Amino acid sequence: MDSIFSVLSGVFDHRDGQGKEYSIGSLLSLVLLGFLCGCNSLAAVARFGKLLSREQRKELGFRPHKSPAHNTICVIFQELDVNSLEQSLGRIVTSGRSENQPLHFKI
């Protein structure tokens, strides 16, 4: 079973090489984790990211002492390839599961 991080890392990234301080998988995983933990806006997700421990940031693929700013997170969603995201998330739902099995996945 693929992790959500690995699946989200496969989402098409529209940014050019200079604008890729953080990977698309890291940014999308942070947003997902933030919303699962009660954040209700991208600004709240950015604040949530700053509260993570060094180890947690490292696990998400960020440098231990740095997390993305609100503006950085917003830029990702301004031009996000929605079809690519839907296809990636669809793989989580359908991978290795028969019709009657409950959905389980790892973050």
Side-chain angles (χ1 to χ4, degrees):
M1 175 186 327
D2 292 332
S3 71
I4 289 182
F5 177 83
S6 67
V7 171
L8 293 176
S9 294
V11 172
F12 176 74
D13 192 348
H14 61 78
R15 301 171 295 162
D16 61 19
Q18 288 182 323
K20 289 187 177 181
E21 182 175 1
Y22 305 107
S23 75
I24 188 84
S26 294
L27 291 166
L28 293 174
S29 294
L30 175 63
V31 171
L32 176 61
L33 184 60
F35 277 93
L36 287 172
C37 289
C39 295
N40 59 5
S41 69
L42 294 180
V45 169
R47 288 190 299 273
F48 172 79
K50 295 193 184 317
L51 296 174
L52 295 175
S53 70
R54 296 170 68 93
E55 293 79 22
Q56 290 168 326
R57 285 191 208 122
K58 191 174 177 181
E59 281 292 317
L60 284 170
F62 301 119
R63 286 185 249 146
H65 61 282
K66 192 170 181 184
S67 62
H70 174 239
N71 186 55
T72 302
I73 297 170
C74 287
V75 167
I76 288 297
F77 284 94
Q78 286 174 350
E79 296 182 29
L80 182 67
D81 185 333
V82 176
N83 290 328
S84 179
L85 179 61
E86 286 177 348
Q87 289 173 358
S88 294
L89 294 175
R91 281 195 296 276
I92 293 171
V93 174
T94 59
S95 68
R97 165 172 119 76
S98 69
E99 190 174 313
N100 296 328
Q101 285 181 312
L103 174 63
H104 298 280
F105 57 89
K106 61 182 177 178
I107 297 177

